[in-house]
Every structure is written in C-alpha cells, then in structure tokens.
C-alpha cells in the first residue's frame, strides 16, 4: 500500500469520524437524553448475549457501519417547525401530494415564509431521518423485567437484571447498562409421555428419535414450543385434521418441586369435557376443481382419475392438465404434505393460477371423517407478449442496451403444452483499439424457441403410474441460434436440446439425453489483433526462431509459409526446443508460446458438441419448514461425443491433422468434441439474525478432453474472475501464470477451484451492504501446458485472493448490486504478490443482479 493510499485513507477516516461526531441533539429538549447505547454486564456466564437486544424496549436507531448516526443527522437537517407540516403531508396518498397541498399545510401551521418553495431536499431528509431515541427510565425498568422473563423461559429461573444509567448532561446522552446475574440453570430430570389415544401413541413412538426434548437438557420454553409444532405437524400428516387447533391437545406438565431438576410429562389427550376418548382421523373425500374461477356456473362437467371438474364453458384443456397438478387423492389419509405439494404444483404451472382452496368436513354431517376439497383455478390468457429493455454492464461488454421480446403461446395441443419464443439483442461498446470507434461497436443476438410439457415426453408411455405427481415431472425441447461480437471475435452458436426434470422433495434431477451444439467462429484471423499480449509472445518467438532457422524467415516473408503454418512448425520443432535456451530465449518463453497457441486453438476452433448430462440439486430452502442455516448443493456431470464416436466407428468420418500432428475426425470439416466434465457447487448460509447472515460457497470443476479432439471447447472451459467469482479480477482475466502482472488477456482452462465468503448486513431501508473475501483460480490438466499445469505441491501458491465491500439495493423482486474489490494476493508476481496491487481509489468494480451466490 503506497503513501498516497495511506494519505487518502487517513482523510477518509477523519471525515467519517467528524460525521460520527456531529451533534444529534439539536432538536432534543434540554431535559431529555438521547439513548446512545445499551450495555450488558454479566456476573458469571455470558449466555444469549446476541439475543438480548431484541428483548429491550428502547434501542438506539441503527447506524451506518455501526457508528455513523446518519438517520439522526438527516433528522436534524429539517427545521423543527417543519416536522409537523411534513408529518401531515406524508399522511396523504401519493397522488394527493402536490405543491397546493404543501402550501395549505404551511399556512395551517403558520409557516408562510416557506410558501411557494418545494422544500424537496428538506422533505427527503425528513423521510430518511429518524428522531433520536430518548431515554425513558420506566421503559428501562420494563426492559430489565422482560430480560428476566427471557432468562426464565431459557431455564434460568433465578436470573436478576438491574438497570443502571450513565447520563452525560453536557452531551445530553444516556447509556443504559443492564447488569445481569444468572445462576445455575434448571434441567429436565426425566421426560415421560401420557398419550390416551393408542394410534397417536404409535405414531409418536415411530418418530420418538426426532424428539427435541431429552432428559439432561437445560429447560427451555422455546424447545417445548418447537416440539409442540413438530408433533402437530406429524399428527396432521397422519390424518388428524385440525389437531391442536385450540391449543389444548398437547400439554407439557412440569413438576417444579425441585427447581433445578424438573420431571416433565408430555400429555396428549382430549379435554375432560369431551365424551369421545380418541381423536378422529380424516380422509380426503371428493375433490372438486373449478377450472375457470366460477363456482356458480357449472354447465360443463368432466371426471378424470377420480376428480370432478367444472367449467362455465367448454373445456380448453385436457382434464389431466388440471388433475396432474393435484396431489390430493380422494380416499387417502389427510396430510399436510399433499396440500402443500398441490399448492406448489399449481403455482408452478404456466397455464393457470389458483384463486382458492378450501378443505372442510362434510357440510351435511360435520362429524363425518370425510373431508371435501374444492380448488378454484383461473386460466391465463392464451398469449403473453412481454417486452423488456435493460441497460447492462459486463466484463466483456463494457456498456450495453438490451431490448428483448418473449412470446408465449399456451396450451397449443390442448394438453398444457406451452410454446415460447425468445428474442434478445444487445448493442454495446467495447474499449478495444482494434474495433471501430463507433459507440455501439459490439453486439449479442439470440433467438430460442422452446416447447415445455408438464409431464415426461416419453411417448407412448404414460408415466403417471410410476412417477409420482408430487415429483413435478417436466419436459422441454428447444432450438436456439445466437451470435455475438463482443471481444472482436464473432461467433455463431446453433443448438438443439431435449431435457427431462423431476423434483422429489427438496432435490431436483435434470437429464439432458440430447444436447447438440455447433459453434462457428467467424473472425478467426483477428485473434492476434485483439489479444495483443499473446501477439507479443508470438512475435518474440518468431524473431528468435528466425535466428535459429533463417530459411523459415525467408519463406514467411515471401508468403510461401503462412502464419498459421509457421506457428505449427515452431510448435512441433523438437530440435529448436532441444537447443533452448537460445540467445535470450528460454524454455519458459517457449512454454508461454505453447500456451497462447493452445488458447488460440480453443477460442477460434469451430466445434461440434453432442453431450449427455445429468444435473442434481439439493436445496434446503425448499423444505416446508424453515431451515435457519440452509445448505444448497448443485452438481452437474456431462459426457460429450459418445454418440458421434459410435457413428464414427461405424461409418468413418473424414480425417484431418491438428497442430500437434495428431489426426482427428470431422463432420463437414468440423471436429466433434469428446470430454467428461464434472461441477460441484456447495453453498451454506448462516443466518445470524433476521437481517444479517454469512454466506459461504465452494466450487470445484474439472473437465477432461479426450479421444477425437484434445482441446476443450471454449464454451465448456472454465474461467476465473467476474461479478460472481473472484471479484477482484475481470472475467477471463485470472490465471495461475498470466503473461504480465496487469494482463488483460483471456484465460480459460480445464480445472477450477473457487471459495467465497460474504457477510451480508442491512444499512438503511432497501440499502444493504456486504463484506467479502474470494479465492480461487483455474488450471490445466494437460501435461503439455507446463506453465498452467495443476500441481499438488504448488497450486496453493497460485490461489488468487480478493476482498472488498459491496452495496445491494433490495427491491424485493430483484437485487441490484455493485461490488468494489481489491487484489489481496496476485499469483502473477513470482515473489507472492501479497498486497501489491491495492489502490483504494482504483477498485475492480463489478455490477450484477441478485446475490453472487
């Protein structure tokens, strides 16, 4: 870190200190004290320290970065005489707020000197600000009593909390200290059950290992509440409709004779006034589906697989479109999971929405054990046309505008099949000397048509009998065409994909039995004009080789030996390699040359990809009950070229020779790729409070090209850097061995390791913040690429580390973010590169949508 950075950091620190020291008591009466802080002092153990603040009635306003009183500062920028005016003004509806209303309120409150002024800035300060919280002794005493109740519920029956106050009459501030003395907690000595219903007793015994209450535990009311919720859920999932609705069916009895060792008895029984001893199990009965949101006009009726369907006009959908989305089965035992799965499947459908679901006992006989279910649906419109227009920034496209169009045609064959057309274009600018100087000098354009079915597309088989509906089977087939010119190398990508997906519970399996892509690069000759560092390596090698082989120089200058042929000649010249070092040219220089030729081959080669893949995801966010610290795992395994290899062995494709002298098969002059690729992405979130969390991510990816084509296609290779990766580097700029310490080249390879950690916290309103650390890199698995080869004894030295901070704007439906990242460890430096590239005022800026992971 240089002196300039230290100087500016010092100035920034002084500015923040001055801002934090700004008076926040200007509008506070002399006899009041601003609550500055709540302090907690313990005698003995510091139990539950993090939870205490939420049980105190008076808490200071939140502060920016934990110490800057930004809300109080904003509050003090508004003259006191305008507070009442603005309070009334913002009490009106948005459409009623105007200059006339503001002026009338100014007159009403005797503030005529402000008439005719919009007061926009002061109104914004009023909205952003918050009156400082002032200390109130009675509320502090009440808070102490509430803390005692909190500890009592946690098993500390004799906890004592006493508040003391530190009042600063000069600064007009107050600090409250809650002195907490907790003694030995009480424990559960024994845990017995008294269940009067034998069937409930059996169900309880089957899942007794899931009990949250055990002898020897500290007494904790929250544990009992959680156990009660678990039991209610278990019993309702076994037919006990409305079990414990009145809160009297489950009771925990505690014998407090010995206040430290508490015998506890779980009692499940009906109230004494109920003459029926056992609880009643219920079954799903008739399921009625109103398909067009009309419960009164049922002129059209149909039955399918035991369901009754009603409509006010002829059915547009085959009945199975509705019944496939309903997991509730007539005659089955009532359970919550079927209800939740039915809601999930219906909400997942593109063809209709659910406007109501009612499950009630038999209206004619409320004592009957049969439940009647009615589901009301509203069909969506036949066609949907969506237009979108976005501005964007990315690592490859510096600035872009993206118009898009989506046309959805629903139910094209009557069985819930949806046909979708997507057209998206991006016009943008790339800062590259080789591209024309027009502002919009780059583009991306893509078109896709996709057919989606709410079932597995395996004619003539009907999969409903052997794949449960709750697994939400889906199929889709798509054709796509895309083209781009954003790094000055144009390409076309033609694709056809067929995939099947099922979601059993919190897991999802997606199989792509057919994925065919043809990638054609349209501007291969521009490669060395774009990647100037690669060109410098090549030119240096050419010059040194000409000294070794003057005849090659003559042939090259005369045009007899093209540049591509010269590249290949040098690449395979064993005699030249054996004579290294030659002049000032070393074997490391030659390794750099082979790497850039390898990279050029990857980026510019047309290729045909035929792949089979299986993706698996495990997402604890999908559980019916909330998971405090959810785990998400995503894996994808892909094998390419098997079918084309079979055809090649059968009929024999045309043969060509690559730069290494090896032969390969082509179809129409284009090689087909063979590779195995495996990705594993693991994410874990620790929710510390409702608004703060720590998110962790680990990614491992490996890809082995083999067989016909030894190079991994550019679109299947790994890269490092970018807004969702190691954010201190641009996308594609990270490498274990770049050509320079500030290389702006494009690097791809066969293996990737990445680790990320991010602390997320609120700032104010919809503004959130994040502090993060990223680490990782990419490597080659080909022994010929010695410069970037993964080695167990060296890879840890080549891990890039970046860190920084970010801002998030949470608009509920989408999160916009900007991250400022700095290179902490840059493996481009041979001496380690720790803290070499930190310039506080020149961070790597990354823009993105939603969280990076």
């Amino acid at each position: 870190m240089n002196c300039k950075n230290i100087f500016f950091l010092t100035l920034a620190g002084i500015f923040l200190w001055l801002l934090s020291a700004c008076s926040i008591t200007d509008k506070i009466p002399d006899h009041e004290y601003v609550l500055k802080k709540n302090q907690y002092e313990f005698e003995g153990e510091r139990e539950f320290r993090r939870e205490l603040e939420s049980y105190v009635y008076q808490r200071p306003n939140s502060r920016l970065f934990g110490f800057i009183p930004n809300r109080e500062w904003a509050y003090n920028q508004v003259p006191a005489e305008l507070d009442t005016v603005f309070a009334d003004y913002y009490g009106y509806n948005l459409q009623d707020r105007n200059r006339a209303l503001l002026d009338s309120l100014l007159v009403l409150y005797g503030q005529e000197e402000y008439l005719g002024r919009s007061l926009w800035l002061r109104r914004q300060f009023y909205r952003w600000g918050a009156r400082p919280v002032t200390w109130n002794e009675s509320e502090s005493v009440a808070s102490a009593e509430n803390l005692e109740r909190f500890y009592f519920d946690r098993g500390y029956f004799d906890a004592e909390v006493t508040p003391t106050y530190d009042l600063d009459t000069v600064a007009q501030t107050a600090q409250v200290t809650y002195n907490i003395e907790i003694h030995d907690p009480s424990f559960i000595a024994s845990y017995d059950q008294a269940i009067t219903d034998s069937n409930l007793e059996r169900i309880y015994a089957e899942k007794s290992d899931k009990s949250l209450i055990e002898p020897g535990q500290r007494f904790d009311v929250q544990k009992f509440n959680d156990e009660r919720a678990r039991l209610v859920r278990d019993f309702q999932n076994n037919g006990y409709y409305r079990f414990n609705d009145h809160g009297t069916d489950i009771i925990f009895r505690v014998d407090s004779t010995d206040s430290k060792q508490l015998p506890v008895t779980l009692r499940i029984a009906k109230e004494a006034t109920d003459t029926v001893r056992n609880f009643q199990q219920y079954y799903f009965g008739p399921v009625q589906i109103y398909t067009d949101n009309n419960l009164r006009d049922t002129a059209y009726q149909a039955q399918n697989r035991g369901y009754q369907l009603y409509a006010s006009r002829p059915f547009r959908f085959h009945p199975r479109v509705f019944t496939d989305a309903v997991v509730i089965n007539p005659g089955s035992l009532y359970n919550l999971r079927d209800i939740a799965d039915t809601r999930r499947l219906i909400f997942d459908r593109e063809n209709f929405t659910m406007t109501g679901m009612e499950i009630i006992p038999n209206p004619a006989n409320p004592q009957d054990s049969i439940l009647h279910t009615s589901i009301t649906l509203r069909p969506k419109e036949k066609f949907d046309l969506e237009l979108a227009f976005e501005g964007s920034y990315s690592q490859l496209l510096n600035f872009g505008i993206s118009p898009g169009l989506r046309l959805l045609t629903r139910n094209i064959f009557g069985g819930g099949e949806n046909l979708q057309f997507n057209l998206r274009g991006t016009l943008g600018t790339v800062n590259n000397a080789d591209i024309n100087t027009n502002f919009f000098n780059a583009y991306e354009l893509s078109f896709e048509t996709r057919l989606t079915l709410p079932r597995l597309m395996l004619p003539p088989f009907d999969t409903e009998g052997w794949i449960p509906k709750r697994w939400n089977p889906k199929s889709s087939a798509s054709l796509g065409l895309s083209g781009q010119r954003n790094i000055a190398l144009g390409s076309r990508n033609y694709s056809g994909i067929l995939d099947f997906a099922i979601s059993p519970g919190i897991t999802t399996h997606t199989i792509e039995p057919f994925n065919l892509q043809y990638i054609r690069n349209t501007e291969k000759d521009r490669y060395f004009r774009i990647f100037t560092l690669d060109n410098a390596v090549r030119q240096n090698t050419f010059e040194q080789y000409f000294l070794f082989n003057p005849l090659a120089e003559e042939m090259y200058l005369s045009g007899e030996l093209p540049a591509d042929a010269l590249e290949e000649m040098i690449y395979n010249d064993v005699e030249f390699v054996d004579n290294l070092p030659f002049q000032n040219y070393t074997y490391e220089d030659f390794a750099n040359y082979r790497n850039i030729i390898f990279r050029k081959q990857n980026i510019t080669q047309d290729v045909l990809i035929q792949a089979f893949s299986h993706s698996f995801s495990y997402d604890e966010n999908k559980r019916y009950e909330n998971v405090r610290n959810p785990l998400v795992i995503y894996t994808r395994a892909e094998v390419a070229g098997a079918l084309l290899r079979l055809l090649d062995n059968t009929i024999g494709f045309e043969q060509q020779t690559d730069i290494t002298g090896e032969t390969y098969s082509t179809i129409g002059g284009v090689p087909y790729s063979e590779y195995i690729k495996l990705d594993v992405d693991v994410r874990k979130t620790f929710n510390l409070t409702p608004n703060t969390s720590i998110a962790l991510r680990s990614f491992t990816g490996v890809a082995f090209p083999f067989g016909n084509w030894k190079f991994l296609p550019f679109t299947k290779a790994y890269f490092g850097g970018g807004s969702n990766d190691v954010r201190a580097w641009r996308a594609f700029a990270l490498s274990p061995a770049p050509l320079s310490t500030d290389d702006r080249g494009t690097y791809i390879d066969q293996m990737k390791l990445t680790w990320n950690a991010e602390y997320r916290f609120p700032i104010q309103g919809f503004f959130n913040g994040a502090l993060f650390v990223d680490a990782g890199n990419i490597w080659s698995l080909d022994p010929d690429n010695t410069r970037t080869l993964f080695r167990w004894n060296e890879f840890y030295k080549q891990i890039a580390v970046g860190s920084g901070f970010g801002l998030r704007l949470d608009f509920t439906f989408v999160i916009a973010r900007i991250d400022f990242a700095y290179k902490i460890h840059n493996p481009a430096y041979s001496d380690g590169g720790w803290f070499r590239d930190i310039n506080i005022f020149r961070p790597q800026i990354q823009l993105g949508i939603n969280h990076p992971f």
Side-chain angles (χ1 to χ4, degrees):
M1 188 178 297
N2 57 39
C3 294
K4 181 179 179 181
N5 285 340
I6 295 174
F7 173 73
F8 281 114
L9 274 179
T10 303
L11 286 181
I14 293 173
F15 171 76
L16 292 176
W17 176 78
L18 290 174
L19 185 59
S20 67
C22 288
S23 174
I24 59 175
T25 61
D26 292 346
K27 292 163 64 176
I28 301 300
D30 293 340
H31 63 279
E32 294 186 15
Y33 296 87
V34 173
L35 180 60
K36 185 178 180 181
K37 186 179 181 182
N38 287 323
Q39 188 81 13
Y40 304 93
E41 295 291 340
F42 293 83
E43 288 190 21
E45 297 183 6
R46 301 169 57 87
E47 293 290 337
F48 308 108
R49 171 64 182 83
R50 290 181 175 273
E51 301 179 41
L52 299 182
E53 189 76 1
S54 59
Y55 289 88
V56 174
Y57 295 125
Q58 276 198 308
R59 298 187 293 273
N61 290 321
S62 61
R63 297 191 169 195
L64 184 64
F65 303 124
F67 68 95
I68 299 177
N70 55 309
R71 301 187 68 192
E72 287 94 340
W73 180 84
Y75 170 79
N76 278 281
Q77 305 313 302
V78 181
E81 64 269 16
L82 292 178
D83 285 342
T84 306
V85 176
F86 292 160
D88 277 8
Y89 179 77
Y90 286 106
Y92 285 84
N93 293 326
L94 179 62
Q95 60 269 22
D96 296 327
R97 298 178 204 158
N98 51 39
R99 175 68 63 80
L101 173 63
L102 182 60
D103 284 346
S104 67
L105 292 173
L106 291 170
V107 172
L108 176 65
Y109 290 103
Q111 305 300 325
E112 287 86 353
E113 67 269 25
Y114 295 106
L115 285 175
R117 297 163 59 182
S118 71
L119 303 175
W120 179 86
L121 182 58
R122 287 177 174 174
R123 284 191 285 119
Q124 300 313 308
F125 280 131
Y126 176 83
R127 298 182 68 183
W128 296 336
R131 188 182 190 276
V133 176
T134 54
W135 168 68
N136 182 294
E137 184 175 5
S138 62
E139 290 200 28
S140 297
V141 172
S143 296
E145 294 172 352
N146 199 40
L147 290 174
E148 288 182 351
R149 286 191 294 270
F150 166 79
Y151 276 105
F152 185 93
D153 289 344
R154 293 297 186 271
Y156 295 91
F157 296 157
D158 47 8
E160 297 179 11
V161 181
T162 305
T164 56
Y165 318 111
D166 181 9
L167 306 181
D168 187 335
T169 56
V170 176
Q172 211 175 334
T173 60
Q175 177 175 298
V176 179
T177 300
Y178 293 96
N179 302 284
I180 302 170
E181 184 177 357
I182 57 176
H183 303 284
D184 293 336
S186 299
F187 292 92
I188 299 173
S190 61
Y191 183 51
D192 300 315
Q193 296 79 40
I195 305 175
T196 60
D197 188 307
S198 59
N199 198 38
L200 288 182
E201 187 174 26
R202 177 187 58 80
I203 295 170
Y204 176 85
E206 289 176 353
K207 295 192 176 182
S208 59
D209 59 321
K210 304 292 185 182
S211 176
L212 303 177
I213 308 298
E214 296 179 0
Q217 283 182 340
R218 174 176 48 80
F219 180 89
D220 192 332
V221 170
Q222 187 58 51
K223 283 282 188 181
F224 288 102
N225 291 336
D226 293 342
E227 176 68 0
R228 180 182 290 107
R230 183 189 73 85
L231 292 173
V232 170
R233 186 170 60 250
D234 284 349
F235 293 144
Q236 289 189 354
N237 276 326
N238 282 274
Y240 290 95
Y241 172 71
R242 289 184 177 173
F243 177 82
N244 203 48
D245 268 7
H246 300 293
T248 58
D249 297 338
I250 297 179
I251 297 175
F252 295 99
R253 288 181 172 173
V254 181
D255 184 352
S256 57
T257 305
D258 181 350
S259 63
K260 295 302 181 183
Q261 295 295 324
L262 307 172
V264 178
T265 301
L266 165 66
R267 183 179 182 274
I268 300 178
K270 285 200 167 186
E271 295 184 71
T273 56
D274 198 326
T275 58
V276 180
R277 174 181 172 84
N278 290 334
F279 292 87
Q280 185 175 20
Q281 279 185 301
Y282 287 81
Y283 295 80
F284 288 118
V287 178
Q288 299 172 322
I289 305 173
Y290 298 87
T291 63
D292 55 7
N293 204 31
N294 193 328
L295 281 71
R296 296 180 179 177
D297 187 353
T298 57
Y300 294 88
Q301 301 182 16
Q303 285 190 337
N304 186 65
R305 301 181 186 269
Y307 300 95
Q308 187 69 38
L309 291 86
Y310 301 94
S312 60
R313 53 183 182 270
F315 290 99
R316 290 164 40 194
F317 297 87
H318 188 282
R320 72 169 295 176
V321 177
F322 302 103
T323 60
D324 278 357
V326 179
V327 180
I328 297 172
N329 289 312
S332 65
L333 197 63
Y334 170 85
N335 70 83
L336 297 176
R337 183 183 178 189
D338 286 354
I339 298 171
D341 282 339
T342 296
R343 292 182 183 275
R344 175 175 60 88
L345 294 187
I346 290 176
F347 284 129
D348 189 62
R349 294 295 192 263
E350 272 279 7
N351 292 291
F352 44 78
T353 57
M354 184 171 69
T355 58
M357 176 189 287
E358 187 177 36
I359 302 174
I360 58 174
N362 185 352
N365 181 11
Q367 301 303 318
D368 192 356
S369 63
I370 301 301
L371 299 172
H372 289 235
T373 303
S374 63
I375 300 172
T376 310
L377 306 174
R378 181 177 62 236
K380 295 181 180 180
E381 296 295 329
K382 177 71 174 178
F383 299 99
D384 255 358
L385 180 63
E386 296 179 5
L387 300 176
F389 187 86
E390 299 177 357
S392 63
Y393 172 90
S394 70
Q395 287 72 32
L396 297 182
L397 201 65
N398 303 126
F399 172 78
I401 55 174
S402 304
L405 180 148
R406 174 180 180 261
L407 174 62
L408 178 64
T409 305
R410 295 188 173 92
N411 195 38
I412 60 172
F413 302 128
E417 304 88 356
N418 298 326
L419 184 62
Q420 180 174 301
F421 299 92
N422 292 303
L423 179 64
R424 181 180 177 87
T426 298
L427 295 175
T429 178
V430 173
N431 297 327
N432 193 300
D434 188 69
I435 308 179
N436 65 69
T437 57
N438 295 333
F439 184 76
F440 291 115
N441 56 15
Y443 69 85
E444 297 176 4
L445 183 66
S446 65
F447 172 78
E448 179 195 49
T449 177
R450 177 180 294 271
L451 176 66
T452 304
L453 292 80
R455 55 189 174 276
L456 295 188
M457 191 164 51
L458 296 171
F461 304 105
D462 184 357
T463 61
E464 185 170 358
W466 53 281
I467 295 183
K469 290 190 290 185
R470 70 173 75 249
W471 288 10
N472 195 19
K474 290 182 181 179
S475 306
S476 69
S478 66
L479 295 173
L481 167 63
S482 64
Q484 61 87 16
R485 185 175 185 264
N486 58 19
I487 53 174
L489 291 178
S491 70
R492 302 291 183 269
N493 190 332
Y494 307 85
S495 65
I497 301 173
L498 173 65
D499 65 67
F500 306 114
I502 55 173
S503 300
I506 63 174
T507 62
T508 298
H509 296 266
T510 303
I511 296 176
E512 289 183 0
F514 180 82
N515 184 328
L516 185 64
Q517 297 182 58
Y518 168 45
I519 301 170
R520 184 171 70 89
N521 293 286
T522 58
E523 298 174 310
K524 304 176 185 180
D525 59 319
R526 300 168 64 89
Y527 180 86
F528 284 111
R529 280 184 283 165
I530 305 308
F531 299 100
T532 53
L533 284 175
D534 286 13
N535 187 48
V537 172
R538 186 185 70 151
Q539 288 302 118
N540 179 48
T541 301
F542 280 7
E543 292 171 4
Q544 297 300 321
Y545 187 73
F546 290 155
L547 295 175
F548 177 79
N549 186 352
L551 179 60
E553 181 179 18
E554 294 179 13
M555 297 173 63
Y556 176 68
L557 294 176
S558 67
E560 184 180 351
L561 183 65
D564 288 348
L566 177 58
E567 292 169 11
E568 183 175 346
M569 176 186 290
I570 300 173
Y571 191 96
N572 293 299
D573 194 329
V574 177
E575 186 179 352
F576 178 60
V577 175
D578 290 341
N579 280 277
L580 295 179
F582 178 78
Q583 302 285 357
N584 294 322
Y585 192 79
T586 67
Y587 186 82
E588 184 179 358
D589 294 327
F590 186 72
N592 287 340
Y593 171 76
R594 288 178 66 97
N595 261 31
I596 65 107
I597 297 301
F598 170 83
R599 185 160 60 248
K600 174 195 172 187
Q601 191 81 356
N602 270 263
I603 294 176
T604 62
Q605 177 62 53
D606 298 346
V607 67
L608 190 63
I609 304 172
Q610 171 271 313
F612 169 88
S613 69
H614 171 253
S615 301
F616 167 79
S617 69
Y618 170 88
D619 189 351
E620 291 185 343
N621 291 300
K622 295 181 179 179
R623 287 194 185 277
Y624 297 119
E625 65 276 7
N626 290 330
V627 178
R628 179 171 181 178
N629 303 315
L631 173 68
V632 178
I633 300 174
Y634 174 81
T635 66
R636 178 182 172 87
E638 184 174 344
V639 179
L643 179 59
L644 296 179
R645 166 60 65 182
L646 179 63
L647 292 175
D648 191 6
N649 291 338
T650 303
I651 62 177
F653 295 148
E654 178 185 352
Q655 300 290 301
Q656 292 188 14
T657 304
D658 68 12
I659 193 170
T660 66
E662 297 184 9
T663 59
Y664 59 90
S665 300
T666 65
I667 303 174
V670 178
Y672 66 87
S673 181
E674 289 183 280
Y675 60 83
I676 298 175
K677 185 177 182 183
L678 176 64
D679 296 340
V680 179
D681 191 333
V682 180
R683 308 177 184 197
K684 179 74 173 179
T685 302
F686 296 92
N687 292 298
L688 307 178
T689 71
N691 297 316
T692 61
S693 63
I694 294 177
L696 307 176
R697 195 256 302 261
S698 171
F699 177 86
T700 302
V702 291
F704 297 93
F706 66 93
N708 186 59
W709 183 247
K710 67 181 295 184
F711 300 103
L712 193 65
F714 180 83
T715 57
K716 299 298 180 179
Y718 298 103
F719 68 90
S723 62
N724 298 315
D725 201 79
V726 184
R727 282 163 277 186
W729 277 261
R730 295 181 305 106
F732 295 93
L734 186 56
S735 169
L739 296 177
S740 72
T741 56
D742 191 25
D743 191 351
R744 300 181 64 83
T746 298
Y747 291 95
I748 57 174
D749 241 314
Q750 300 168 318
M751 179 179 178
K752 180 174 181 177
L753 297 174
T754 305
W755 301 272
N756 308 85
E758 186 167 282
Y759 173 61
R760 299 165 182 168
F761 56 90
I763 296 178
Q764 182 176 327
F766 58 82
F767 281 97
N768 296 320
L771 301 175
F772 58 85
V773 177
D774 306 320
N777 216 321
I778 59 174
W779 290 269
S780 174
L781 297 173
D782 187 344
D784 290 340
N785 299 320
T786 56
R787 185 173 174 81
T788 59
L789 181 65
F790 179 85
R791 298 179 177 89
W792 286 104
N793 61 340
E794 292 185 7
F795 84 95
Y796 63 91
K797 303 175 185 177
Q798 300 168 328
I799 293 175
V801 180
S803 184
F805 63 93
L807 297 176
R808 282 88 173 96
L809 278 69
D810 188 348
F811 299 110
T812 304
F813 58 92
V814 69
I815 296 174
R817 61 182 169 88
I818 179 170
D819 290 320
F820 304 88
Y822 300 90
K823 297 175 181 177
I824 304 301
H825 176 246
N826 188 349
Y829 292 98
S830 58
D831 60 351
W834 287 97
F835 305 103
R836 291 281 295 272
D837 291 328
I838 295 181
N839 186 327
I840 298 299
F841 296 96
R842 293 190 62 184
Q844 179 66 49
I845 299 176
Q846 304 283 6
L847 302 179
I849 299 297
N850 293 325
H851 289 301
F853 53 90

